[in-house]
Amino acid sequence: MRWLFLILAALMLSGQRDAILVPEVSQDEVQVRQGFTGTELLLYGAILDPGGRRGGAAYDIVVVLKGPTQPIRMREKERFAGIWMNAESSDFRSAPSFFAVAASRPVAEIVDDRTAAIYELGTDFIQLSPSGEIDPDKQARFSAGLVDLRQREGLYKEDMNGVRISEQVLYQARISLPSNVQTGLYTAETFAISDGRVIASAIADVEVRKVGLERFVETASQRSSFVYGLVAVMLSITMGWIAGRLFAMI
C-alpha cells in the first residue's frame, strides 16, 4: 500500500517542471534497548520525470544516510625508544558519527569528483570541517585515518550497487545500523542524478534513541551529573565490599 501511495503522490505532482522524488524510510524511529544488536533500514521511494512518465531508466539514485555530527580530535601515534606515544593531532568540528552511501552503480560512473564532493556522495567526500592550522597534506592524512578507523568500526560504509531500481520508477536500498551507533537525529538524503547532474533530492529523518533503563541512565547522567557520579561511586564501593565478603567466606 505504501508503494501505491508513493506512485499516486508522484502522479499528482507530475505537473511540476522538475523531476519528482518521493522518498520513504521503513521506520522513522530506532529504539535502542539493552542487548541491541543493530538494525536494518529500508530506504525506498518513487521518481517520475517532469512529464509524469516513468523515469527510472533515465536516472541513477544515490542515498546518503548521516548520523549526528560531533567534534573530534584525532591523534597520531609514533614510536619513540620502543614505546608508542601520542604525536601530532588534528581537530575536526563536524565529523558525522555515522555515514553510509548506497548507489545504483559506482558514483565515479555517475558524477564527477566536484559534484560528488558538493553532495558528499562517498566516504572520500565527507566534509569533516578541520579546524586550527590548515596543512593540506596533514589534513588529508588525518581525514583518511578517521575514515579508515570508522570504517573498521562499521560506522562508515559504501555500497556502490546497493540501490535497486525496479519497474522503471521505484527504488529501494538497505542500510544496516550497527549496535554501536550514536543516538540522535539521522538524515537520509536521496539524490536523483541524470547525465552527471543532480536533478532532484529529498530528505527523510530517522531518530535513534535509547529507551527503558538505558534511557533513564543517559538522562540521569545528563541532568544530574553530580548525583549520578555519586551513585555510581557508591555502587562500585558496595559491589566491591560484597565481592570481598563472598571471597572471604569461600
Side-chain angles (χ1 to χ4, degrees):
M1 290 297 294
R2 298 187 78 171
W3 285 109
L4 181 59
F5 170 77
L6 290 172
I7 297 173
L8 290 175
L11 286 171
M12 286 189 294
L13 295 171
S14 62
Q16 296 183 0
R17 184 179 62 182
D18 298 326
I20 305 151
L21 184 61
V22 186
E24 263 292 350
V25 183
S26 57
Q27 53 187 116
D28 55 15
E29 180 181 273
V30 175
Q31 296 184 348
V32 178
R33 302 177 181 273
Q34 185 176 6
F36 177 73
T37 58
T39 189
E40 184 179 70
L41 295 178
L42 173 63
L43 301 99
Y44 60 96
I47 183 169
L48 294 173
D49 72 7
R53 299 181 296 274
R54 293 182 174 184
Y59 303 105
D60 281 295
I61 297 292
V62 181
V63 178
V64 179
L65 179 63
K66 291 194 291 186
T69 59
Q70 55 188 185
I72 187 172
R73 170 170 291 181
M74 288 291 293
R75 295 187 182 275
E76 190 174 57
K77 290 185 177 294
E78 291 185 3
R79 194 167 185 171
F80 296 97
I83 301 175
W84 288 98
M85 302 179 63
N86 289 330
E88 290 190 276
S89 65
S90 180
D91 294 321
F92 298 96
R93 290 191 298 269
S94 58
S97 57
F98 181 86
F99 185 91
V101 175
S104 53
R105 58 191 175 108
V107 168
E109 300 177 6
I110 301 174
V111 296
D112 57 25
D113 287 350
R114 180 176 178 276
T115 302
I118 292 173
Y119 296 101
E120 296 183 279
L121 304 182
T123 55
D124 291 337
F125 306 104
I126 302 175
Q127 297 175 11
L128 297 172
S129 301
S131 61
E133 181 182 353
I134 305 300
D135 181 336
D137 292 335
K138 177 182 175 181
Q139 295 301 337
R141 186 173 77 253
F142 276 94
S143 296
L146 173 59
V147 171
D148 177 68
L149 175 64
R150 293 201 162 171
Q151 283 178 329
R152 287 187 276 115
E153 293 173 340
L155 296 173
Y156 286 6
K157 58 185 70 178
E158 293 180 342
D159 186 351
M160 290 306 168
N161 291 291
V163 176
R164 182 167 63 88
I165 300 176
S166 60
E167 302 178 24
Q168 296 182 313
V169 64
L170 305 176
Y171 70 88
Q172 65 173 9
R174 297 181 183 274
I175 296 178
S176 59
L177 294 177
S179 59
N180 56 337
V181 292
Q182 179 179 311
T183 56
L185 187 64
Y186 286 59
T187 58
E189 189 163 10
T190 303
F191 301 94
I193 302 171
S194 179
D195 296 326
R197 185 174 61 90
V198 175
I199 48 88
S201 65
I203 297 178
D205 293 332
V206 179
E207 183 179 7
V208 178
R209 67 185 188 93
K210 293 182 179 180
V211 296
L213 178 61
E214 289 74 13
R215 177 63 177 173
F216 172 77
V217 172
E218 181 184 49
T219 303
S221 66
Q222 294 175 350
R223 294 183 178 178
S224 305
S225 57
F226 176 77
V227 176
Y228 174 82
L230 187 61
V231 171
V233 171
M234 293 299 296
L235 283 175
S236 298
I237 294 173
T238 302
M239 294 301 294
W241 180 82
I242 294 173
R245 297 293 297 175
L246 290 175
F247 279 110
M249 294 172 60
I250 297 176

